[in-house]
Amino acid sequence: MILCDKGLFTLHTKHTTYQMKADGLGVLLHTYYGPRLRGGDLSTLIQYADRGFSPNPWDARENRSYSLDNLPQECSSCGVGDYRLPSLELELSDGSHLTDFRYQGFRLERGKYRLEGLPAFFGGEEWETLRITLKDQAAQLEVELLYGVLEERDLITRALRVINRGDQPVTLCRAASLCLDFQRDGLDFITFDGAHIVERCPHRSSLRSGIQSVGSTRGASSHHHNPFVILCDHEATEDHGRCYGAMLLYSGNFEAAAELAQFQNTRLTLGIHPHHFRFPLAPGQSFTTPEAALICSPTGLAQLSTQFHRALREHLIRDPYAGKRRPVLINNWEATEFHFDADKLLDIARAAAPLGMELFVMDDGWFGNRNSDSSSLGDWTVNEEKLPGGLEALTPRIQELGMCFGIWIEPEMVNEDSQLYRAHPDWVLGAPGRPQTVSRGQLVLDFSRKDVRDHIYRDIQKVLDSAPIRYVKWDMNRSLSDVWSAALPAERQGEVYHRFVLGVYDFLERLRQDYPDLLIEGCSGGGGRFDAGMLYYTPQIWCSDNTDAIDRLRIQFGTSFGYPLSAVGAHVSAAPNAQTGRTVSMETRGVVAMGGTFGYEMDLSKATPEEREIIRRQTAFFKEHYDLIQRGDYYRLSDPFQEGPYTAWEQVSPDRREALVSLVTGSVHAGLPFLSLRLKGLDPNLDYRVNGEGRYPGDLLMEAGWPLPLPWNDYQSTQLYLSAI
Ligand code: DGJ
């Protein structure tokens, strides 16, 4: 996979080639990334020209065509003649921000490198690791570039480590995990943006001169932008054109920036957001960036998504839940919010169990005096007024019904009205002499501090040890603000945002070690921290607080570009919907929730006999086709953001012998044209039954399509189950 030859490094995957070359001056140039080539030295592709105001490095002063300003680089320099976004920016002890990293050497290893305390793709012999060392001679700074290559998935990962080998302290101010340079234009930038309850809407625009960026300074990856972006040909569609997906395995502040530079050359950087990021490195100290993941698809967006989905399912989401079936759950939040007691929970559980539900999740409101969102976060003891006898009494009653039991927690937060805050007001983020900004009535605990984390961990551990708890929903219901830690001196406050994220990872890793069978679902007011960093610890993430099936079509569509269905928390909730007031049939709500992990979040004790029957059928169908739905290859068949009469998607089993097509109509107008739906991913040489009937050739279903019967109503749904004959 990785060929190294006199400073030429060629990374081959199944469908792509990525190449770098250390040139005569030791600058590590990026020569090519795209469809797989046979090899050779591709540096002949790089064009050199004498351009005004593009300076020459001191050691190339005789050659005016050589300028870092225009050359494609793997780790771009800072302050020495490249005016584009730098990969790294360091403040040196003399106050300068000048670095110029040159090639020193490399090491090639079988297997995948690891990053201490950070999420990273994992695996065995199917990976290769390349370590390239660069050095800035003047400051005695070293950079180790880490590349992981997974051939079958076209996956190239990258992280870097900055090591202060000098005898003076330096401060890291910017550390992009990824720098991807192209000497070309003609690229579109796709980002996934939104807000609370409107997460990950795709936005595609052609790059224009200058820097276009998205990012988060909220301390979490955010509802507003996602650390997954795509660069693609203007002409790229689901099935054609070259696409590059870049994903950051990080759950805090990030920046994804695409720069179209002076000669239409393009640079993509992805990494920790430089906002209030300053990491001092004393002599001998080092800093490791989060991991970035790259996949290039030469054949459109569908293949890009398929490869990301497979890579995340197989090499990021960890056992036991990578392979293990996830339970169909019932959650009480939308049914009761804070207002419940054991009897109410048991009413819902008694209704849910015979309908096929396997896990009962008790959401917010079970601890301290938590009767509203303004109290008790931080006091992780069971409210015995609501739950007499505690979880020890409740859990067996849930288990008797044949379900397992799970709870909601929000460990990073505290209310002022809590015993914890009254005892430790200095444990929250906030600078002295300045009152803190409040959000949802809560403050943020300083999770950069181990003593704070240890205290919360012990309290939560007591709860987890008190009963057989099989699932935890880890919520985070506000953005960080007032970021200042009482545990660090003034000159180290720029570390706090990052140390907060490392603290969250540390807490989650401890949970994983101490409770290996616990299923943890991530959540941040729905999808406010939906990223690959979290997926390393939490195999699924509540995708959005918006449970309206029609809005969810868009949110789940956007999410599907980077993330697999098995990661997407999706529930059937009551109609009319709590967020939009829209009424959608139980059938359609079920079809949409099967575009994710599938569960229910409503008062099932109030369901009518007809509704119960539909639910029984839905859970049985989901369980019967679990592998296909959760592990099949996913195809977007239409775009819910376009004015079209329906939204459709499809899952196809890896052997292409089974497929499930789901279709939901939009707001329907009279006089619809005759429509047929062209399927994808089938075997053209096989014949299929559709819902157990007929005989339909795969090539016909893909090339001519499946006729869609008229008439339609608003928000109807259909599912077609295809099985090869
Ligand atoms: C926000 C979550 O996204 C909801 O599902 C629910 O758990 C509430 N928090 C509880 O406060």
Side-chain angles (χ1 to χ4, degrees), residues 333 338 363-364 370 408 440 473 475 477 523-526 542 545 601:
W333 173 248
F338 302 100
D363 210 282
D364 195 353
R370 183 81 167 164
W408 175 100
R440 209 198 189 203
K473 177 176 174 185
D475 209 343
N477 280 302
C523 177
S524 173
W542 182 227
D545 273 349
E601 183 160 341

Side-chain angles (χ1 to χ4, degrees), residues 69 81 89 132 214 230 375 464 495 512 528 594 650 678:
D69 206 14
E89 185 172 347
I132 297 182
V214 293
I230 298 171
S375 157
L464 293 178
E495 301 176 23
R512 267 189 56 85
M594 282 184 214
E650 182 188 358
R678 284 174 61 184

Side-chain angles (χ1 to χ4, degrees), residues 268-288:
L268 177 71
T269 60
L270 178 63
I272 293 178
H273 200 294
H275 167 75
H276 198 187
F277 172 78
R278 283 179 69 83
F279 234 89
L281 297 178
Q285 283 186 334
S286 67
F287 179 88
T288 304

Side-chain angles (χ1 to χ4, degrees), residues 646-660:
Y646 62 81
T647 300
W649 64 99
E650 182 188 358
Q651 289 106 319
V652 182
S653 63
D655 63 3
R656 301 198 283 174
R657 297 190 62 81
E658 274 188 298
L660 178 68

Side-chain angles (χ1 to χ4, degrees), residues 5-196:
D5 180 26
K6 301 189 193 79
L8 185 70
F9 302 96
T10 310
L11 281 45
H12 285 304
T13 70
K14 192 170 176 186
H15 303 105
T16 68
T17 297
Y18 183 108
Q19 197 188 67
M20 310 161 257
K21 183 178 183 175
D23 72 7
L25 300 183
V27 174
L28 189 63
L29 299 176
H30 176 82
T31 66
Y32 174 81
Y33 187 28
R36 185 167 175 145
L37 301 176
R38 272 179 292 154
D41 182 348
L42 306 171
S43 64
T44 48
L45 295 169
I46 297 176
Q47 291 176 296
Y48 297 82
D50 180 4
R51 310 278 200 172
F53 288 82
S54 285
N56 317 111
W58 62 273
D59 46 354
R61 53 157 62 84
E62 306 308 327
N63 178 2
R64 294 199 174 187
S65 303
Y66 191 100
S67 174
L68 296 178
D69 206 14
N70 302 314
L71 287 171
Q73 295 161 65
E74 279 296 309
C75 182
S76 58
S77 59
C78 182
V80 294
D82 182 350
Y83 296 94
R84 295 167 291 173
L85 286 166
S87 293
L88 293 167
E89 185 172 347
L90 290 120
E91 186 171 286
L92 308 182
S93 56
D94 59 8
S96 69
H97 283 225
L98 309 175
T99 48
D100 185 1
F101 291 99
R102 304 291 177 99
Y103 177 74
Q104 294 289 300
F106 77 97
R107 238 169 61 214
L108 188 58
E109 295 155 14
R110 266 249 160 250
K112 171 77 189 352
Y113 64 82
R114 286 165 183 271
L115 302 176
E116 184 66 28
L118 282 164
F121 281 92
F122 60 83
E125 296 286 290
E126 67 277 33
W127 286 85
E128 273 177 17
T129 291
L130 172 65
R131 297 169 191 268
I132 297 182
T133 310
L134 310 177
K135 193 158 187 180
D136 178 278
Q137 286 297 348
Q140 288 296 298
L141 287 167
E142 199 174 286
V143 170
E144 185 180 41
L145 298 173
L146 295 160
Y147 296 87
V149 180
L150 181 65
E151 184 176 21
E152 191 59 27
R153 298 286 163 251
D154 295 316
L155 179 64
I156 296 176
T157 65
R158 189 178 124 153
L160 49 90
R161 187 168 290 143
V162 186
I163 310 149
N164 183 359
R165 298 266 184 229
D167 53 12
Q168 297 296 314
V170 299
T171 302
L172 189 60
C173 317
R174 178 182 169 87
S177 304
L178 175 77
C179 172
L180 183 61
D181 271 0
F182 301 92
Q183 268 193 334
R184 61 164 285 200
D185 66 344
L187 291 169
D188 283 357
F189 191 35
I190 307 179
T191 58
F192 299 89
D193 319 302
H196 179 231

Side-chain angles (χ1 to χ4, degrees), residues 122 190 259 451 525 677:
F122 60 83
I190 307 179
E259 178 167 7
D451 56 342
L677 181 66

Side-chain angles (χ1 to χ4, degrees), residues 588 591 661-665 691 706 709 712 716-720:
T588 296
V591 167
V661 178
S662 303
L663 180 146
V664 176
T665 65
N691 290 339
W706 175 260
W712 288 355
Q716 263 182 293
S717 57
T718 308
Q719 281 182 314
L720 306 174

